Amino acid sequence: MRLAKRVGRLSPSPTMAVSEEANRLRSEGRSVVDFSIGEPDFNTPDNIKGVGHRAIDDNFTRYTSAPGIKDLREAVVEKYRRQYGVDYSVPEVVISCGAKHTLFNLAFALFEEGDEVLLPVPYWVTFPEQFKMVGAVPVEVMTREEDDFVLKASALEAKVTSRTRAMVVNTPNNPTGAVIPADEMDRIVDLALDRDLMIIFDECYEFFVFDGNRHTSLAQYADRAKHVSLLVNTASKTYAMTGWRIGYLVAPREVARSVSNVQSHSANPASVSQKAALESILGNQDSVSQMIAEYERRRRYVVGRLNGMPGLSCANPGGAFYAFPNISSYFGSEVRDSVEFSTWLLRQSGVAVVPGSAFGMEGHVRISFATSMENLVTGMDRMERALDRM
Ligand code: PLP
């Protein structure tokens, strides 16, 4: 069978080995505590589910327009006005089947073969693969543990060439939880304007900020940077709506129109999900603060426990729901890299984590605290015992 070259470019998921091993252990009856999952463990809030039910009962079940229903696009405009005091308009908004879909549409609409996209490391696993799928070249830009993995404009600048078209900025970050402070965002925006680069700004974890950190949105720079700003957001994380598949793009009209055209010939989101997402943005937000408070409690616990384990260090994640501890002091004859460490940990203690190499950075693993406190206690106890034995 001859397959298209573009699928041959895709890297197989480095997390496969660990998830296959987790499944094997489960099939043998072993208990596995899973810290590898990147989605909220909460249920979608009742008010949102109620609107979804009602949409079905009202037969709101037909095709919708390619860029999404007008009232949801208006709600997104309203959200950016409410949160950041910026004026966007409906033609600048496109609703898609999750931020992953939004990002793919963007890559498809923007990049030619050989275009370079600056990609901060560590990155969410999907970014490089999407760029490669459309023939663009992800160019890695390192962040440093000493900086709590905060992306620096100077690191981006060092990688700009005549082929660079865009940069990815993801704050709060998956997998590190790093939150880019306003002064660094100022410098990143200046760089983009100076070198005529688009900014793919992924703010899917915008509400997940802790310890007095503040999320700085690229939307706040609209007065001077709107023409290079591609805001990507989702209902998935904030509202525990991963399965409803609603994400959105806020971008210059021309980009939004192209993305909408792409979408009109591929797929656009479910009618019912769009109604539910409308309620998520405009409805009562109490459940969000309750969920964030719980994530904060878990974060404090997990980071405290990790830093109490000998040989292990964990930068404080300012946001998102991940910890990204450094496990490299355990590398030696028994385990040589993060994949071997993760497989070893799983076999020894039944704790599943994601190897850092999946995100382009060795020497670390990602631990999601989007799971119950009970699981966190059990998992941390087991991990500590396994590391002690090592
Ligand atoms: N962007 C980041 C940084 C993510 O971590 C994720 C999901 O894990 C997404 C985008 C995609 O979210 P969704 O497609 O569910 O909206």
Side-chain angles (χ1 to χ4, degrees), residues 38 98-100 103 124 170 174 202 204-205 234 236-237 245 322:
K100 191 183 267 190
L103 288 162
W124 176 50
N170 169 214
N174 176 8
D202 181 324
C204 290
Y205 298 90
T234 182
S236 288
K237 315 287 178 178
R245 308 309 300 133
Y322 309 104

Side-chain angles (χ1 to χ4, degrees), residues 37-39 96-103 123-127 170-175 202-205 232-237 241-248 320-322 366:
I37 296 170
E39 67 176 329
S96 300
C97 312
K100 191 183 267 190
H101 185 209
T102 302
L103 288 162
Y123 45 71
W124 176 50
V125 293
T126 292
F127 286 119
N170 169 214
T171 180
N173 181 272
N174 176 8
D202 181 324
E203 53 182 339
C204 290
Y205 298 90
V232 178
N233 214 326
T234 182
S236 288
K237 315 287 178 178
M241 289 180 70
T242 45
W244 297 80
R245 308 309 300 133
I246 294 289
Y248 45 92
F321 43 61
Y322 309 104
R366 189 191 74 176

Side-chain angles (χ1 to χ4, degrees), residues 5 33 44 48 51 67 77 99 126 148 166 189 213 298 362 368 373:
K5 281 202 199 81
V33 179
T44 304
I48 299 173
V51 171
V77 168
T126 292
D148 285 340
V189 171
N213 276 292
R298 296 169 180 182
E362 251 313 333
S368 164
M373 199 65 186

